[in-house]
Amino acid sequence: MIPDEQAGWMERCVLIGAVRQAGRWASALQAAATANNVEMVVLDGRPPRRHAGDENRVFVALDKTHLAPTATASRVAVLDGVDKFSGLGLVSEEDARVHVVEVTRFAVEALDWANNGIIITSDIADFSRKNRAEMLVMGMPVHPPDLVEGYEDQLDRQAAESLSYLRAASSEDFCRWGPPVFVYDQAAISLDNRAAVLDMTGPPRPLVRGPYLWGPRGRRRITARFSLDENASRHELQFRWGPPLSPTLHYATPERPGVYEIVLEADWPEIDGMEFTIALVHGCVDGTIEFLGAKLDELPIPAIR
């Protein structure tokens, strides 16, 4: 009996989460399959029932809903190239931000879908490219495709920096988010890769917020640095970190000028956005805050007792 196409029946599945490089990776996988006499089906929709019943067939898709793996299926998620950008400076800054947010959604869904399967990151594929070595994907020797990169402008560099946490998620490394990755409540007095200087004068409001990228399931710690002048240090600040609707909160009034760090941890029980906020709790007639960026660490998920 052929199982319903909604049920899990595929034994070998590849999900390409790096949408900008999807065509190159699909071609590389198809070439490897042809060279090794493996039947591969690249899906652009839900597969027909006639494909059921062959355990050796490999299914490749850009959309996880097109795949129907069994509980024990071999799964590969391709994230190679998710943090490689080129040409974002040709679009508006807002359009570039929206594009990066969408890229993270595809990548995070692929991470989640992979479960305990193989995840091919840029680090892994770059090693293979550098050493002219084949890598095994579904038992097939595959040459990772060459990727179009070369950061052409500031927006390209900012995009790659903002997505570096996806590479850190598969290692013991951390990622750094520079000030340009975040959004500010009004035009900054100055903004560069080192710092964003903001005038706090005005009503209660978020001063720093973002980056609004998608986050996988897990636990993360953010360490954000900022400095306050004497007037700004007298005001109460609210710090938020986590999924937008269930963040970790902290309130503080430093009371003296200086450079400070705030460390917050939060859980993502499911795929959701990532938001860090520094907000002014009460109105302010004078003061300057200098935001110096943040570091993001992946943490072990606490055991349930």
Side-chain angles (χ1 to χ4, degrees), residues 67-81:
L67 298 169
T70 65
T72 59
S74 298
R75 301 185 183 210
V76 175
V78 178
L79 296 188
D80 174 38

Side-chain angles (χ1 to χ4, degrees), residues 21-92:
Q21 313 296 344
R24 294 182 180 87
W25 261 98
S27 296
L29 291 169
Q30 188 68 69
T34 300
N36 290 273
N37 296 316
V38 174
E39 184 178 357
M40 177 174 290
V41 181
V42 179
L43 302 169
D44 57 5
R46 192 175 296 279
R49 299 187 184 202
R50 63 183 172 81
H51 285 308
D54 186 346
E55 295 183 356
N56 295 316
R57 187 177 287 115
V58 177
F59 295 91
V60 178
L62 279 66
D63 187 331
K64 67 176 184 178
T65 64
H66 298 162
L67 298 169
T70 65
T72 59
S74 298
R75 301 185 183 210
V76 175
V78 178
L79 296 188
D80 174 38
V82 74
D83 53 357
K84 307 288 187 183
F85 287 85
S86 181
L88 284 185
L90 300 176
V91 300
S92 70

Side-chain angles (χ1 to χ4, degrees), residues 4 19 28 40 50 84 86-87 112 125 127 129 132 137 142-143 158 177-178 187 197 222 229 231 247 251 270 274:
D4 185 272
V19 291
M40 177 174 290
R50 63 183 172 81
K84 307 288 187 183
S86 181
D112 184 67
F127 177 84
R129 280 188 283 262
R132 299 180 181 275
V137 181
V142 176
H143 289 286
Q158 291 171 15
W177 282 334
V197 181
I222 193 168
D229 65 11
N231 290 331
Y251 292 83
E270 58 186 22
M274 295 192 293

Side-chain angles (χ1 to χ4, degrees), residues 9-290:
W9 51 269
M10 301 177 187
E11 294 295 341
R12 307 171 77 189
C13 302
V14 179
L15 179 61
I16 303 177
V19 291
R20 290 172 63 92
Q21 313 296 344
R24 294 182 180 87
W25 261 98
S27 296
L29 291 169
Q30 188 68 69
T34 300
N36 290 273
N37 296 316
V38 174
E39 184 178 357
M40 177 174 290
V41 181
V42 179
L43 302 169
D44 57 5
R46 192 175 296 279
R49 299 187 184 202
R50 63 183 172 81
H51 285 308
D54 186 346
E55 295 183 356
N56 295 316
R57 187 177 287 115
V58 177
F59 295 91
V60 178
L62 279 66
D63 187 331
K64 67 176 184 178
T65 64
H66 298 162
L67 298 169
T70 65
T72 59
S74 298
R75 301 185 183 210
V76 175
V78 178
L79 296 188
D80 174 38
V82 74
D83 53 357
K84 307 288 187 183
F85 287 85
S86 181
L88 284 185
L90 300 176
V91 300
S92 70
E93 186 168 354
E94 181 58 30
D95 287 344
R97 178 178 291 276
V98 170
H99 177 73
V100 173
V101 171
E102 276 298 286
V103 165
T104 67
R105 180 175 68 84
F106 279 97
V108 166
E109 286 182 349
L111 274 173
D112 184 67
W113 173 89
N115 199 1
N116 293 319
I118 297 172
I119 299 172
I120 300 175
T121 63
S122 295
D123 286 341
I124 295 171
D126 282 345
F127 177 84
S128 178
R129 280 188 283 262
K130 180 180 178 181
N131 293 280
R132 299 180 181 275
E134 296 175 322
M135 54 193 306
L136 290 179
V137 181
M138 293 293 170
M140 302 180 299
V142 176
H143 289 286
D146 291 329
L147 304 182
V148 175
E149 53 178 310
Y151 306 137
E152 298 176 352
D153 53 38
Q154 187 67 21
L155 279 180
D156 288 312
R157 289 190 290 272
Q158 291 171 15
E161 181 178 83
S162 67
L163 291 178
S164 62
Y165 76 96
L166 289 171
R167 193 182 299 196
S170 61
S171 68
E172 296 180 355
D173 200 0
F174 63 88
C175 90
R176 180 183 179 275
W177 282 334
V181 172
F182 293 84
V183 180
Y184 303 96
D185 100 289
Q186 57 190 20
I189 298 173
S190 65
L191 172 63
D192 56 33
N193 287 324
R194 186 190 68 84
V197 181
L198 308 170
D199 181 3
M200 291 174 58
T201 304
R205 66 197 187 279
L207 300 168
V208 179
R209 53 193 175 88
Y212 300 115
L213 303 172
W214 290 83
R217 304 170 199 260
R219 184 174 182 85
R220 294 175 189 88
R221 176 174 60 222
I222 193 168
T223 304
R225 300 188 73 210
F226 60 97
S227 68
L228 302 169
D229 65 11
E230 186 171 356
N231 290 331
S233 67
R234 302 190 184 109
H235 296 280
E236 185 179 22
L237 298 174
Q238 180 200 67
F239 303 88
R240 296 163 54 100
W241 167 240
L245 298 181
S246 56
T248 298
L249 296 176
H250 181 76
Y251 292 83
T253 306
E255 297 184 348
R256 65 179 63 185
V259 178
Y260 294 90
E261 278 191 352
I262 180 73
V263 181
L264 298 173
E265 296 180 5
D267 294 314
W268 276 256
E270 58 186 22
I271 294 174
D272 205 339
M274 295 192 293
E275 180 184 55
F276 173 72
T277 303
I278 301 177
L280 183 65
V281 177
H282 307 288
C284 176
V285 297
D286 193 17
T288 299
I289 180 173
E290 187 176 22

